[in-house]
């Protein structure tokens, strides 16, 4: 890896995590499941897809990148298949809709949850080889979402299941941290669909476990879908540095909660979604600039990270995903310059 990349002091750009699957990744996942390629052939194809995802992000100018999650079937099943205590069905009734037309095979908890070994480390390390010094986010699905999106046939107690998941996932995040990851992101999209006091408190307890022992890392929680505004103001005392939230998908109404609950005074950073991942229409530079100036009426620019609403995988089109990232970076650079922060 080359020398550390200089992240802009204000309005750095980033991604949420996933990127449209490259043909190599699609082929690898399909053939490996059928047993038609070797482990070595599978790894070669996945690595090629990761390299391309990283190169796209760098070419677009993204400051803090991801591995594109090319190996992951989806954000739930991938981890369930690699943790002790889950089984994943393949019957038609096992497929469940998350949102829009996105479905996944709902895992079943059949025993005590435990970490068996690294699940994301190989791809994170590989992505750093091509990152040209840019930090690569380490991204995992959070314990609350893992529990909520599974059938529980073992615990019979939601909190107990979530806490055991938190303990297992802490081991995963810690090994990434020990490898050098300093941007640690936990995805909790399910939390906004249950904005109740008890659930918010359980998730808080779980996140304090997941991030334990990694105090000097940037601790990020991504939340999307559902009623994110209903989580305020309770989540503002979560043990995290940044909330990564969607704004375009709710027509920027979430800005009202950011202002009403004085998010800026919490000292937390804001991952600010300016790209619609549900639309294949590429945003204009003016749209993104206007969006950024709206949040800057409420938040200081050094606390705002500019990014898409959610993972770009949903777009399903690499060319569109790349164009959206590129215009996002160009618009953000212009805003920085107009604010007097040009660092070229």
């Amino acid at each position: 890896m080359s020398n550390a990349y200089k992240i802009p002091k204000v309005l750095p750009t980033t991604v949420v995590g996933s990127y449209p699957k490259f043909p190599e990744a699609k082929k690898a996942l399909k053939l490996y499941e059928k047993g038609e390629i070797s482990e070595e052939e599978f790894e070669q194809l996945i690595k090629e897809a990761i390299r391309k995802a990283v190169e796209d992000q760098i070419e677009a100018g993204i400051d803090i990148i991801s591995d594109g999650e090319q190996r992951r079937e989806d954000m739930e099943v991938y981890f369930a298949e690699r943790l002790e205590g889950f089984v994943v069905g393949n019957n038609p009734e096992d497929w469940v809709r998350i949102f829009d037309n996105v479905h996944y095979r709902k895992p079943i908890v059949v025993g005590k949850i435990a970490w068996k070994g690294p699940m994301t480390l190989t791809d994170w390390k590989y992505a750093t080889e091509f990152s040209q010094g840019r930090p690569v986010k380490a991204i995992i699905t959070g314990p609350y979402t893992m529990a909520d999106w599974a059938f529980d046939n073992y615990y019979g107690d939601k909190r107990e299941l979530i806490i055991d998941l938190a303990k297992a996932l802490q081991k995963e995040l810690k090994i990434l941290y020990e490898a050098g990851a300093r941007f640690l992101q936990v995805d909790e999209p399910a939390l906004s669909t249950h904005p109740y006091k008890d659930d918010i408190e359980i998730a808080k307890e779980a996140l304090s476990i997941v991030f334990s022992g990694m105090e000097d890392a940037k601790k990020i929680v991504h939340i999307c879908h559902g009623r994110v505004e209903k989580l305020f103001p309770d989540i503002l005392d979560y043990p995290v540095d940044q909330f990564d939230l969607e704004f375009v998908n709710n027509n920027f109404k979430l800005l009202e909660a950011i202002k009403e609950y004085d998010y800026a005074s919490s000292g937390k950073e804001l991952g600010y979604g300016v790209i619609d991942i549900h639309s294949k229409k590429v945003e204009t530079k003016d749209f993104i600039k206007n969006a950024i100036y709206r949040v800057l009426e409420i938040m200081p620019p050094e606390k705002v990270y500019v990014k898409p609403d959610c993972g770009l995988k949903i777009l399903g089109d690499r060319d569109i995903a790349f164009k959206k990232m590129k215009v996002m970076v160009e618009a953000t650079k212009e805003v920085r310059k107009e604010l007097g922060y040009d660092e070229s």
Side-chain angles (χ1 to χ4, degrees), residues 144-315:
Y144 185 90
T145 296
M146 287 295 301
D148 190 63
W149 288 358
F151 292 117
D152 176 19
N153 287 354
Y154 178 79
Y155 284 88
D157 182 283
K158 187 175 184 178
R159 180 188 171 278
E160 189 180 346
L161 169 57
I162 292 171
I163 295 305
D164 271 5
L165 278 162
K167 290 174 181 176
L169 292 168
Q170 189 272 347
K171 291 186 169 86
E172 179 68 15
L173 215 54
K174 189 68 181 294
I175 203 165
L176 288 155
Y177 171 80
E178 289 172 347
R182 287 299 178 269
F183 285 81
L184 309 177
Q185 180 175 300
V186 175
D187 292 341
E188 288 287 18
L191 186 58
S192 61
T193 62
H194 303 283
Y196 313 117
K197 192 74 173 179
D198 287 350
D199 292 76
I200 292 170
E201 286 303 310
I202 291 171
K204 177 184 175 182
E205 182 183 359
L207 287 170
S208 70
I209 294 170
V210 172
F211 285 121
S212 63
M214 294 161 261
E215 281 67 31
D216 66 327
K218 187 81 69 179
K219 297 177 281 293
I220 305 163
V221 174
H222 170 64
I223 307 173
C224 59
H225 315 301
R227 304 294 300 276
V228 179
E229 71 277 7
K230 296 290 186 182
L231 301 173
F232 288 91
D234 300 299
I235 60 170
L236 292 179
D237 64 351
Y238 271 26
V240 304
D241 302 303
Q242 179 185 140
F243 285 106
D244 181 305
L245 307 174
E246 64 177 3
F247 286 83
V248 184
N249 194 41
N250 54 60
N251 201 24
F252 296 94
K253 288 181 180 176
L254 192 53
L255 283 173
E256 296 171 13
I258 297 297
K259 185 175 183 178
E260 179 183 351
Y261 296 108
D262 198 9
Y263 188 103
S265 294
S266 72
K268 297 192 188 305
E269 298 169 342
L270 179 66
Y272 183 58
V274 298
I275 294 291
D276 187 354
I277 52 85
H278 297 284
S279 169
K280 295 196 174 184
K281 179 183 177 182
V282 178
E283 287 77 5
T284 65
K285 207 184 294 185
D286 283 345
F287 173 85
I288 296 168
K289 288 177 68 174
N290 288 337
I292 294 171
Y293 278 117
R294 285 179 72 177
V295 78
L296 293 183
E297 293 175 6
I298 307 167
M299 294 285 297
E302 63 272 12
K303 291 288 187 178
V304 177
Y305 286 61
V306 180
K307 48 98 195 177
D309 264 359
C310 294
L312 294 167
K313 170 188 172 182
I314 296 170
L315 286 166

Side-chain angles (χ1 to χ4, degrees), residues 84-103:
E84 194 74 51
F86 282 103
V87 294
V88 180
N90 241 331
N91 298 318
E93 61 269 21
D94 295 322
W95 287 86
V96 177
R97 178 178 175 271
I98 309 175
F99 57 86
D100 294 346
N101 196 32
V102 178
H103 292 71

Side-chain angles (χ1 to χ4, degrees), residues 1 34 41 57 115 148 163 180 244 295 299 319 321 324-325:
M1 189 169 74
K34 293 180 177 179
E41 291 170 317
Q57 291 171 74
W115 184 75
D148 190 63
I163 295 305
D244 181 305
V295 78
M299 294 285 297
D319 184 54
K324 281 175 173 273
M325 288 193 302

